[in-house]
Amino acid sequence: MSDTPFGFGLPPEEPENGDDGKKKGGEGGPANPFGFPGMGLPGGAGAPGADNPFAAMFGAMNPNDLGAAFQQLGQMLSYEGGPVNWDMAKDIARQTVAQGTTDGVKDTSIGVAERSAVEEAVRLADHWLDGVTSLPSGATTAVAWSRAEWVEATLPVWKELVDPVAERVGAAMGGVLPEEMQAMAGPLLGMMRSMGGAMFGQQIGQAVGTLAGEVVGSTDIGLPLGPAGKAALLPLNIESFGKDLGVPSDEVRLYLALREAAHARLFAHVPWLRSHLFGAVEGYARGIKVDTSKLEDVVGQLDPSNPEQLQEALQGGMFQPQDTPEQKAALARLETALALVEGWVDAVVHEAAKPRLTSADAMRETMRRRRASGGPAEQTFATLIGLELRPRRLRDASRLWASLTDARGVDGRDGLWEHPDMLPTASDLDDPDGFVHREQLDFSEIDKMLGEAAEKREQDGDEKK
């Protein structure tokens, strides 16, 4: 996938112009007040064709590219929605999926046999999980998705995750103009907002479309990307994932179904967990600082006839996390929460799979490395908002949950999910034994004491009357 944050180019199915589409020379002067190369007024200095702005913008393109360029430019400049052009994002994601993965595997419709195999795997996985966790099933339905169906189903959650950061960048784009010019530059600011929405839309669409060719379910990044109550697997990607593992395909599918079903239980029956994770992401996003100096350079040199120029200019990224206590706390909260979720799933799935699947140990190690080493999902999110969704302490968290099972049993372990204040902290991951043997807080006793105190106050009040 592209490592370029928030750039935009022609949609993946269109040919690229490369250097042939760039405008050489042409300094901005009085006839070019905003410094856009090739946009001089008739008779102004610039490249050949400066007396015809459209020729200056598109003259270097061949006829086959011209229609596509006008179409994309029209999409960019006519957009009047929020900080991300999500229609463009969906179109580009679907185009990326249609092209197939780098190994030449194209997306296919899901057949009856594949749907039945997924449904059976999830049903059996849920049955196995019943014996190793007190949380009931969280999957009301099991679905087999094509890559295109994964894109359609997960875009609403990507919107929720990315919009807060895109809003910050959109505001920064409007702020790069001098204050005295902003009142006079309404049309230009509108164009910049539209182009900002297109920047995000193109990059997100490409990233999500590429990711659709790699994920195996709806919970690969530790966040619930799909609709509530659905355990989703992608048969085509599961086949690619297990191709070189030397593990029977039905065991690969069943192990991944266990992980998907375990995530579903956690997110369905821990009502505060989703908002806790998404809130941590948003809290981190609020502390991101946009490098406006780089943005000023990019806007000042922007050539509308060469969209790839902006993509190249932004390749180094423009997000800088602020080194503040609040930002560090938000990052620590998110990393710890992800580690606890992934560690719980890892421990519970292994307990269910170990006695039944000969490949349980190998599959566990494969998934741990995939998550901890920064797999495709983590790289995608890092590209989108400059944040790595990597459970860095997955192994520590998994050991802690396993130790809790031994010390307190399944009910005692899973009971910690009743309230966020009961969960282990980052420091507890450093000292798991200390946490496991620490006296457990009993919120029911606290509630009982508070209730008794309230009753006593009411009785005292009645006696005084």
Side-chain angles (χ1 to χ4, degrees), residues 193-214:
R193 282 192 294 269
S194 297
M195 294 181 72
M199 287 162 55
F200 277 96
Q202 191 277 342
Q203 186 65 27
I204 292 166
Q206 185 179 13
V208 171
T210 302
L211 186 58
E214 301 166 336

Side-chain angles (χ1 to χ4, degrees), residues 166-183 185-186 188-196 199 290 292 295-296 299:
E167 189 71 52
R168 292 182 62 81
V169 177
M173 289 185 72
V176 298
L177 290 177
E179 186 174 348
E180 61 273 12
M181 290 183 61
Q182 291 190 19
L188 178 60
L189 290 174
M191 183 186 75
M192 291 172 66
R193 282 192 294 269
S194 297
M195 294 181 72
M199 287 162 55
V290 179
T292 53
L295 195 56
E296 289 174 4
V299 172

Side-chain angles (χ1 to χ4, degrees), residues 72-402:
Q72 186 188 23
L73 189 63
Q75 278 184 301
M76 288 164 44
L77 299 183
S78 63
Y79 176 68
E80 297 180 351
V84 177
N85 188 332
W86 287 103
D87 290 337
M88 176 181 284
K90 184 167 80 169
D91 289 345
I92 291 177
R94 293 295 297 262
Q95 291 169 14
T96 305
V97 165
Q99 288 181 348
T101 50
T102 54
D103 57 3
V105 177
K106 298 278 189 178
D107 194 22
T108 58
S109 299
I110 303 299
V112 175
E114 290 174 315
R115 293 189 189 279
S116 297
V118 166
E119 290 171 359
E120 176 60 21
V122 173
R123 185 198 64 78
L124 185 56
D126 253 340
H127 176 65
W128 289 359
L129 289 172
D130 283 339
V132 296
T133 174
S134 62
L135 298 180
S137 174
T140 55
T141 56
V143 293
W145 281 341
S146 66
R147 293 166 178 171
E149 288 172 325
W150 183 90
V151 168
E152 295 282 352
T154 62
L155 271 178
V157 180
W158 288 115
K159 184 177 188 298
E160 186 176 350
L161 290 169
V162 175
D163 269 352
V165 183
E167 189 71 52
R168 292 182 62 81
V169 177
M173 289 185 72
V176 298
L177 290 177
E179 186 174 348
E180 61 273 12
M181 290 183 61
Q182 291 190 19
M184 301 182 295
L188 178 60
L189 290 174
M191 183 186 75
M192 291 172 66
R193 282 192 294 269
S194 297
M195 294 181 72
M199 287 162 55
F200 277 96
Q202 191 277 342
Q203 186 65 27
I204 292 166
Q206 185 179 13
V208 171
T210 302
L211 186 58
E214 301 166 336
V215 295
V216 295
S218 68
T219 55
D220 284 38
I221 66 172
L223 297 173
L225 294 179
K230 285 190 177 181
L233 295 176
L234 282 72
L236 183 61
N237 293 355
I238 291 175
E239 182 181 350
S240 298
F241 173 80
K243 184 172 57 177
D244 299 322
L245 295 180
V247 177
S249 59
D250 57 339
E251 286 199 18
V252 174
R253 180 171 55 247
L254 186 48
Y255 190 88
L256 297 176
L258 280 166
R259 289 184 54 83
E260 183 77 5
H263 277 103
R265 289 183 181 229
L266 204 54
F267 288 115
H269 299 291
V270 182
W272 54 265
L273 181 58
R274 188 183 189 278
S275 60
H276 180 76
L277 287 168
F278 281 64
V281 172
E282 187 174 352
Y284 181 86
R286 282 197 301 268
I288 290 176
K289 180 175 62 176
V290 179
D291 187 351
T292 53
S293 62
K294 174 175 287 189
L295 195 56
E296 289 174 4
D297 291 341
V298 171
V299 172
Q301 300 172 22
L302 184 61
D303 181 354
S305 69
N306 182 24
E308 275 78 8
Q309 179 188 23
L310 185 57
Q311 184 171 354
E312 295 167 2
L314 298 179
Q315 188 167 4
M318 58 185 176
F319 296 126
Q320 301 172 349
Q322 293 183 0
D323 189 19
T324 63
E326 293 79 10
Q327 182 74 343
K328 291 178 180 178
L331 181 58
R333 186 167 62 252
L334 177 60
E335 289 183 341
T336 301
L338 285 170
L340 292 175
V341 168
E342 292 293 287
W344 184 88
V345 168
D346 178 81
V348 167
V349 166
H350 187 69
E351 190 176 351
K354 179 68 173 175
R356 300 176 174 96
L357 299 179
T358 57
S359 62
D361 289 333
M363 290 294 299
R364 183 189 206 186
E365 188 60 27
T366 297
M367 293 306 300
R368 280 181 165 186
R369 291 180 179 178
R370 177 181 168 96
R371 288 296 283 124
S373 63
E378 177 267 319
Q379 292 169 7
T380 295
F381 208 80
T383 298
L384 293 179
I385 69 168
L387 172 63
E388 294 180 352
L389 280 179
R390 187 186 306 177
R392 301 175 187 276
R393 308 196 64 181
L394 185 154
R395 294 176 189 268
D396 294 336
S398 181
R399 281 193 293 268
L400 188 148
W401 287 118

